[in-house]
């Protein structure tokens, strides 16, 4: 018995003339993600993508689990492939789908016959196989309108495919089909969720993390690398940029009013991220900001932060409550890491009473007192550390 995996795309189907390029990207992403589980032949036919193991070695369970996290797939199912012999099709359906047939109360058989030389037409396949199933599972009833289980038989050129239960896919658009964006990622709960949400809409991510040694530790940085590593299950390999903000933070502390520290630091993050983003052909920045969550996320503070960069800033969490964000964070398995108690550069030199209604004029006036701003930004951009994070880990950090 040979098993294969069928992928149904979702929104891609609405893409008209561009559909093919979206599907090609999806196949490329899927192939890459399941490569560690075996060798596969991947191809598309009639709005379905077929993933066929080339040998017995492939770990299909692991491949299915990985594919359930690939954006662009609405649903997937495992199918059994047999020779186009009707008796063999029936006996295989009974054995291969045994568990599903036992658990269901109602079913129907659906047949697709693209090989017209097969002696039975679709209605005949349905009635004959339906009869065989009823004989073996007397508890089952046929329901053609709303069955619990649809047993599908496809008679194709190279064989007959038998499948039933569909598994949910991750939905969204294939990563890369919307271009690239830089994700400002901290060690918190929000930013990994923001990255996940935008990757789901087809953006390829470049995570950027700011550190402030010796105020922030190597352990805090490793925490963020761990978060990025968890995100690779959905996003594929991620080149993470680590930027040193120490000198800038000290300069802000020395030259600016304390109640504006955070918003000015946020503006520096934006300016540096914009430069890195443009170098990497990114068309947007992404943050995990949520309106009113903290003083630096009031509309006034966000207005000041926005003005520091001319790239669009995507804030997918802006209207979400913390509980809603945490639900997604648990789903994508970043929550437990996010709540580990390590410091972030945002918690260094935190003002006791941050201004909740800063104006751009106030902020730019304060920034004008910082000497050598341009030179410090250029230095931060030039001295970035790039860490390639893949599903296997990150060299020198997670191995
Ligand atoms: P998070 O849970 O993502 O840390 P938060 O609610 O703690 O968010 P802030 O610390 O105010 O919020 O940060 C707001 C946003 O600024 C973050 O979502 C992230 O996009 C960005 N940010 C904060 N700290 C860093 C950092 N050290 N490096 C990169 N981006 C950061
Ligand atoms: Mg934070």
């Amino acid at each position: 018995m040979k098993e294969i995996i069928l992928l149904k795309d979702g929104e891609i189907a609405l893409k008209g003339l561009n559909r093919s390029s979206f599907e090609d990207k999806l196949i490329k992403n899927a192939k890459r993600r399941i490569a560690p589980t075996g060798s596969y032949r991947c191809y598309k036919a009639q709005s379905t993508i077929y993933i066929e193991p080339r040998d017995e070695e492939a770990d299909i369970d692991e491949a299915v689990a990985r594919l359930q996290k690939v954006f662009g797939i609405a649903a997937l199912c495992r199918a059994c492939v047999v020779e186009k012999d009707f008796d063999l099709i029936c006996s295989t359906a009974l054995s291969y789908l045994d568990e599903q047939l036992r658990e269901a109360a109602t079913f129907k058989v659906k047949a697709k016959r693209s090989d017209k030389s097969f002696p039975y037409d679709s209605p005949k396949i349905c009635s004959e196989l339906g009869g065989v199933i009823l004989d073996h599972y007397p508890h089952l009833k046929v329901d053609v309108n709303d069955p619990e289980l649809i047993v599908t038989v496809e008679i194709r050129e190279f064989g007959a495919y038998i499948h039933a239960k569909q598994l949910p896919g991750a939905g969204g658009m294939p990563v890369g089909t919307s271009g690239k964006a830089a994700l400002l990622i901290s060690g918190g709960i929000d930013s990994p969720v923001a990255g996940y949400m935008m990757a789901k809409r087809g953006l390829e991510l470049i995570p950027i993390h700011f550190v402030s040694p010796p105020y922030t530790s190597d352990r805090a940085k490793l925490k963020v690398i761990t978060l990025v590593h968890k995100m690779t299950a959905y996003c594929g390999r991620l080149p993470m940029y680590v930027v040193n903000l120490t000198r800038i933070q000290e300069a802000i502390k020395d030259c600016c009013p304390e109640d504006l520290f955070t918003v000015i630091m946020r503006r520096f993050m934006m300016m540096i991220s914009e430069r890195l983003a443009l170098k990497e052909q990114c068309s947007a920045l992404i943050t995990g900001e949520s309106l009113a969550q903290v003083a630096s996320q009031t509309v006034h503070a966000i207005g000041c932060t926005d003005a520091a960069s001319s790239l669009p800033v995507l804030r997918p969490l802006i209207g979400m409550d913390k509980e809603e964000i945490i639900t997604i964070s648990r789903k994508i398995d970043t929550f437990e890491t996010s709540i580990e108690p390590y410091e972030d550069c945002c918690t260094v030199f935190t003002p006791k009473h941050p201004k909740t209604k800063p104006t751009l004029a106030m902020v730019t006036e304060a920034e004008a007192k910082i000497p050598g701003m341009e030179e410090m930004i250029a230095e931060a951009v030039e001295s970035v550390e790039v860490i390639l994070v893949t599903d296997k880990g990150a060299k020198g950090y997670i191995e």
Side-chain angles (χ1 to χ4, degrees):
M1 187 189 83
K2 185 176 169 190
E3 220 182 359
I4 66 164
I5 306 165
L6 310 178
L7 311 181
K8 301 270 171 203
D9 51 28
E11 240 177 273
I12 297 177
L14 308 173
K15 291 291 165 203
L17 292 177
N18 286 333
R19 178 170 180 163
S20 190
S21 64
F22 280 82
E23 284 175 337
D24 291 345
K25 185 71 183 159
L26 174 55
I27 290 177
K28 210 169 152 193
N29 292 350
K31 253 183 162 169
R32 215 184 235 178
R33 217 69 67 71
I34 59 174
T37 73
S39 171
Y40 302 86
R41 193 165 86 85
C42 308
Y43 55 94
K44 55 184 175 181
Q46 287 142 20
S47 73
T48 300
I49 291 165
Y50 293 77
I51 311 270
E52 233 181 85
R54 287 186 201 274
D55 51 46
E56 305 275 293
E57 303 292 301
D59 181 346
I60 306 258
D61 291 344
E62 177 62 17
V64 168
R66 283 171 174 251
L67 288 168
Q68 282 189 284
K69 293 179 178 162
V70 174
F71 293 128
I73 300 171
L76 56 162
C77 66
R78 300 167 79 132
C80 186
V81 190
V82 292
E83 273 171 42
K84 289 180 278 186
D85 171 279
F86 192 68
D87 289 338
L88 182 61
I89 292 172
C90 291
S91 60
T92 307
L94 295 178
S95 57
Y96 183 61
L97 304 175
D98 178 56
E99 202 181 315
Q100 297 176 43
L101 290 165
R102 263 178 222 270
E103 282 170 7
T106 59
F107 83 107
K108 80 170 179 185
V109 179
K110 198 168 120 188
K112 290 183 198 164
R113 188 182 58 137
S114 50
D115 171 8
K116 301 294 180 204
S117 69
F118 190 71
Y120 289 11
D121 65 6
S122 296
K124 174 118 171 143
I125 296 171
C126 293
S127 63
E128 293 286 327
L129 177 58
V132 171
I133 291 175
L134 283 173
D135 285 347
H136 282 78
Y137 298 91
H139 75 282
L140 275 174
K141 290 206 163 38
V142 173
D143 180 346
V144 288
N145 298 316
D146 187 22
E148 230 175 88
L149 196 69
I150 302 177
V151 174
T152 306
V153 177
E154 299 182 40
I155 309 293
R156 295 196 177 268
E157 197 185 340
F158 300 106
Y161 297 59
I162 301 157
H163 54 96
K165 199 160 73 185
Q166 285 207 346
L167 303 166
M173 303 298 297
V175 165
T177 55
S178 296
K180 258 184 176 182
L183 168 70
L184 280 76
I185 184 165
S186 68
I189 296 169
D190 306 331
S191 36
V193 172
Y196 160 84
M197 286 174 72
M198 296 325 298
K200 185 171 180 178
R201 298 310 304 159
L203 279 170
E204 185 180 334
L205 306 181
I206 305 273
I208 300 179
H209 177 59
F210 292 89
V211 293
S212 218
Y215 308 106
T216 62
S217 64
D218 280 350
R219 192 60 194 78
K221 176 171 144 189
L222 184 60
K223 174 186 172 182
V224 182
I225 299 172
T226 307
L227 286 172
V228 172
H229 179 229
K230 293 195 171 221
M231 292 174 70
T232 60
Y234 293 92
C235 305
R237 53 181 17 216
L238 293 164
M240 173 178 167
Y241 283 58
V242 180
V243 185
N244 187 315
L245 205 62
T246 311
R247 197 174 152 209
I248 290 173
Q249 282 195 277
E250 287 175 341
I252 300 172
K253 179 174 164 278
D254 291 343
C255 309
C256 303
E258 188 187 289
D259 58 0
L260 293 177
F261 279 4
T262 313
V263 67
I264 293 177
M265 182 192 59
R266 227 2 94 58
R267 281 169 54 82
F268 272 93
M269 286 186 176
M270 290 296 187
M271 291 183 252
I272 295 166
S273 299
E274 175 174 47
R275 297 211 192 167
L276 291 171
L278 293 173
K279 266 187 166 181
E280 289 299 323
Q281 287 87 42
C282 292
S283 340
L285 304 179
I286 303 167
T287 74
E289 289 160 308
S290 163
L291 192 65
Q293 195 185 76
V294 285
S296 58
Q297 294 173 31
T298 62
V299 270
H300 310 85
I302 286 175
C304 296
T305 314
D306 240 10
S309 151
S310 54
L311 283 175
V313 181
L314 308 178
R315 298 180 171 88
L317 314 186
I318 198 71
M320 288 170 76
D321 290 349
K322 198 77 189 184
E323 277 311 311
E324 294 171 301
I325 299 168
I326 288 175
T327 303
I328 301 178
S329 160
R330 286 188 196 279
K331 182 177 115 176
I332 64 172
D333 192 33
T334 51
F335 183 73
E336 293 302 329
T337 306
S338 291
I339 58 172
E340 286 174 10
Y342 295 103
E343 66 293 333
D344 181 61
C345 66
C346 282
T347 53
V348 175
F349 312 137
T350 318
K352 279 193 200 69
H353 302 290
K355 220 178 208 20
T356 52
K357 291 187 181 171
T359 65
L360 192 54
M362 257 180 222
V363 170
T364 47
E365 192 191 325
E367 275 174 8
K369 305 217 167 68
I370 305 172
M373 229 172 105
E374 171 52 37
E375 185 242 325
M376 284 194 295
I377 292 176
E379 186 195 10
V381 169
E382 270 154 36
S383 60
V384 289
E385 177 192 4
V386 184
I387 303 169
L388 181 64
V389 188
T390 70
D391 56 357
K392 292 195 187 69
K395 211 160 177 247
Y397 295 97
I398 307 172
E399 285 172 290

